[in-house]
Amino acid sequence: MTIKVAIACDHGGVELKAYLKENLQEPAIEWLDLGTDTTESVDYPDYGYKLADAVASGQAEYGIAICGSGIGISIACNRNDKVRAAVCTNTTMAELTRIDNNANIVCLGARLTGDLLAKNIVETFLTTKFEFGGRHERRVNKLSN
Ligand code: RB5
């Protein structure tokens, strides 16, 4: 099964974005690449908003957001009330934010997290299921009210 994943970054995340698109194999991904594609300086909110719109509108099931720290772009993504964007610096965070928070965007800091770890974080994020029907769903529902 192929899942549709949107990906966006600022100038700090261009190389990591390219690495992830090239190296992520499982699960099979159809990419929606929203840029940026050069190291020319851009503003991370512009890319965070675009990515959040793509996920919130259903154009993509999940999103990957990258900036230098992962933090700025996560704040931008989380301005959209249909988005739950989580900065992850290890695979346990990626697993827990799917199980507990039903996060739909994973945010990475290209200046903090190496390529291989970032790939493992994203693979974990994309393959871990949310626990529907219990306390986690009740809590996540409260985030949208
Ligand atoms: C860009 O230099 C940097 O500020 C940005 O990528 C990010 O780390 C902000 O949170």
Side-chain angles (χ1 to χ4, degrees):
M1 204 187 74
T2 302
I3 53 172
K4 196 146 186 197
V5 177
I7 188 165
C9 65
D10 74 358
H11 52 284
V14 169
E15 283 177 22
L16 180 56
K17 175 163 72 70
Y19 174 86
L20 292 173
K21 285 181 65 186
E22 178 98 14
N23 290 283
L24 272 169
Q25 276 146 12
E26 280 301 321
I29 293 170
E30 181 186 340
W31 291 104
L32 175 63
D33 187 338
L34 300 171
T36 188
D37 295 313
T38 73
T39 52
E40 187 184 332
S41 184
V42 293
D43 298 335
Y44 60 81
D46 297 335
Y47 291 86
Y49 296 151
K50 254 204 265 192
L51 184 73
D53 280 348
V55 172
S57 67
Q59 282 181 77
E61 194 173 340
Y62 297 107
I64 302 171
I66 312 167
C67 67
S69 63
I71 298 170
I73 202 161
S74 76
I75 294 171
C77 290
N78 277 316
R79 298 270 166 154
N80 187 314
D81 65 8
K82 293 199 173 109
V83 159
R84 292 166 303 281
V87 181
C88 295
T89 56
N90 60 55
T91 55
T92 307
M93 292 170 81
E95 186 179 1
L96 290 177
T97 200
R98 286 290 307 130
I99 294 171
D100 291 8
N101 316 128
N102 201 12
N104 48 13
I105 295 183
V106 59
C107 305
L108 301 165
R111 295 179 183 146
L112 305 175
T113 304
D115 289 354
L116 186 57
L117 177 56
K119 174 174 170 278
N120 290 340
I121 288 169
V122 173
E123 278 172 355
T124 302
F125 185 86
L126 295 178
T127 56
T128 304
K129 300 282 172 235
F130 177 53
E131 278 185 14
F132 282 100
R135 67 192 188 286
H136 297 311
E137 188 172 5
R138 183 183 71 242
R139 292 164 186 160
V140 168
N141 285 342
K142 285 191 179 183
L143 293 173
S144 310
N145 292 334

